[in-house]
Amino acid sequence: MEIKVVTTDPEQKEAYRIRKIVFVDEQNVPMDLEIDEHEEASIHFIAYAYNGKDIVGASRLRFVGEYGKLERICVLKSYRGKSYGKKLIDKMEEEIVNKGYKKAKLHAQTHAKEFYERLGYEVISDEFMDAGIPHVAMTKELTK
């Protein structure tokens, strides 16, 4: 398994393809909400399967105020439960620290709240709707 920062147009297209499958096709998020005005200013990540060829996960990272904001974290259904999500988050947190930030935040779909809590994130908001899906805001203090 390899997690890497997107550096080429073909990798970016693959990240968008994975996000479309998970968020648009599976979860019915409108495409104009999924791909938004923050794409250019974000650092994008992709997860390669153990075979080293297939891209099976994607995410993006933005810097907002004092936080690195983890967004659009997704893994193809057949690869879930195999640590790809955790590895994506680990790589994103590493990038946040490397850029000199000490805090991470994210908006978690409520069904995934416990997953993020196991990774050290704490809920800081009431439940809210985003793209028709219930979410909570979560944060984590990062150390090297």
Side-chain angles (χ1 to χ4, degrees):
M1 170 189 320
E2 179 188 6
I3 310 298
K4 69 176 296 245
V5 172
V6 168
T7 58
T8 67
D9 284 339
E11 288 173 342
Q12 187 66 62
K13 285 183 173 114
E14 281 297 294
Y16 289 151
R17 182 182 69 81
I18 299 297
R19 287 171 48 187
K20 180 184 179 298
I21 291 168
V22 173
F23 295 119
V24 177
D25 299 345
E26 279 183 36
Q27 299 182 356
N28 298 310
V29 172
M31 191 65 175
D32 63 332
L33 292 180
E34 175 51 33
I35 305 298
D36 65 17
E37 70 275 13
H38 301 298
E39 302 302 337
E40 294 283 322
S42 298
I43 299 169
H44 297 266
F45 299 81
I46 48 177
Y48 284 90
Y50 288 103
N51 66 16
K53 297 184 297 185
D54 298 326
I55 296 173
V56 300
S59 62
R60 80 175 188 195
L61 173 64
R62 291 191 302 131
F63 294 95
V64 180
E66 62 184 329
Y67 292 93
K69 187 165 187 255
L70 290 69
E71 300 178 324
R72 307 303 200 268
I73 302 161
C74 59
V75 175
L76 294 176
K77 189 179 281 187
S78 59
Y79 290 88
R80 291 179 197 152
K82 298 178 172 147
S83 297
Y84 288 98
K86 179 187 180 314
K87 295 293 187 190
L88 274 165
I89 291 163
D90 289 347
K91 186 73 169 178
M92 295 169 81
E93 289 176 353
E94 179 182 302
E95 187 72 16
I96 291 168
V97 170
N98 287 343
K99 298 282 188 202
Y101 291 77
K102 294 180 172 35
K103 297 179 183 180
K105 75 176 175 178
L106 55 84
H107 292 168
Q109 293 182 9
T110 54
H111 72 84
K113 179 176 76 84
E114 289 80 18
F115 167 74
Y116 293 110
E117 285 174 333
R118 286 192 302 273
L119 299 178
Y121 286 82
E122 296 178 6
V123 174
I124 60 162
S125 76
D126 291 331
E127 188 175 299
F128 61 92
M129 298 300 282
D130 186 7
I133 300 168
H135 285 72
V136 291
M138 303 182 80
T139 60
K140 178 179 179 181
E141 295 285 330
L142 302 177
T143 57
K144 283 194 176 192

